[in-house]
Amino acid sequence: MTVALTSGRTRRAGLALAAASAGLLVLSACDKPTPLATVTVGTDSVHTEASCRGDGKPLAEDKLTSCLSGVKDAKSIDYAPGSTLRLGVDPKVVENGSKWIALLDGSPITEASDQTYRSFPGADVFSTGGQGAAPKEKKVSIIQLNKDSKPESVWSFTLKRTSS
């Protein structure tokens, strides 16, 4: 008899994704659920609803700017340098030709994508390139773009630096 062996890291990542999927399934039973975005680091995940939504209309530039800079209560997750950062969006985010991009402290870290999941193995999101001490926190924003590449929704998270 043979036994399939998988690493603990693989199992934990699978369990985290299963938990996030189960949470989305439970929420789908509600009336008009709002799409969620999820950030996973190791076996820990956080998800949230959009902090700003255009409800089918593009966000005005000033509204987008305020959404990206004004979120005070973003969900946070601990991040040790070299960890794998995983970003995911509800399938509804990429319906009807919509895409999404991710920003790290306002700078794009992905191209526009119609996939629901991105992974960044061993990412060093707190690297400063030798330009001073690393910050204690970084903000990750996910922006939904409509088929005309106009922003429609914004989800915000905070990565908190921990030691490895």
Side-chain angles (χ1 to χ4, degrees):
M1 183 160 92
T2 60
V3 176
L5 299 175
T6 58
S7 73
R9 176 180 254 175
T10 303
R11 280 190 304 254
R12 287 189 300 270
L15 288 173
L17 289 174
S21 297
L24 291 174
L25 182 61
V26 168
L27 288 173
S28 68
C30 303
D31 293 333
K32 285 188 147 186
T34 58
L36 299 176
T38 303
V39 173
T40 303
V41 177
T43 59
D44 297 326
S45 292
V46 292
H47 60 272
T48 191
E49 294 180 352
S51 54
C52 294
R53 290 181 52 106
D55 293 321
K57 296 179 182 175
L59 295 171
E61 190 172 329
D62 59 333
K63 177 71 172 172
L64 177 63
T65 301
S66 108
C67 289
L68 292 172
S69 62
V71 176
K72 304 290 186 231
D73 58 348
K75 296 259 181 125
S76 65
I77 189 166
D78 290 339
Y79 183 89
S83 296
T84 297
L85 175 65
R86 295 175 181 89
L87 306 176
V89 297
D90 188 298
K92 290 182 184 216
V93 172
V94 294
E95 286 181 345
N96 303 320
S98 293
K99 295 183 178 187
W100 63 279
I101 61 170
L103 307 176
L104 182 63
D105 280 351
S107 297
I109 58 172
T110 66
E111 298 288 328
S113 175
D114 60 359
Q115 302 298 306
T116 59
Y117 174 80
R118 293 289 308 263
S119 179
F120 304 91
D124 190 2
V125 300
F126 290 99
S127 174
T128 62
Q131 303 296 317
K136 302 261 188 232
E137 297 181 350
K138 288 271 189 160
K139 183 175 171 186
V140 172
S141 300
I142 295 174
I143 302 174
Q144 178 185 21
L145 304 172
N146 66 16
K147 64 182 176 183
D148 298 322
S149 296
K150 305 280 188 208
E152 284 191 343
S153 300
V154 178
W155 294 262
S156 296
F157 299 90
T158 301
L159 299 177
K160 293 190 174 196
R161 184 171 52 95
T162 62
S163 58
S164 340

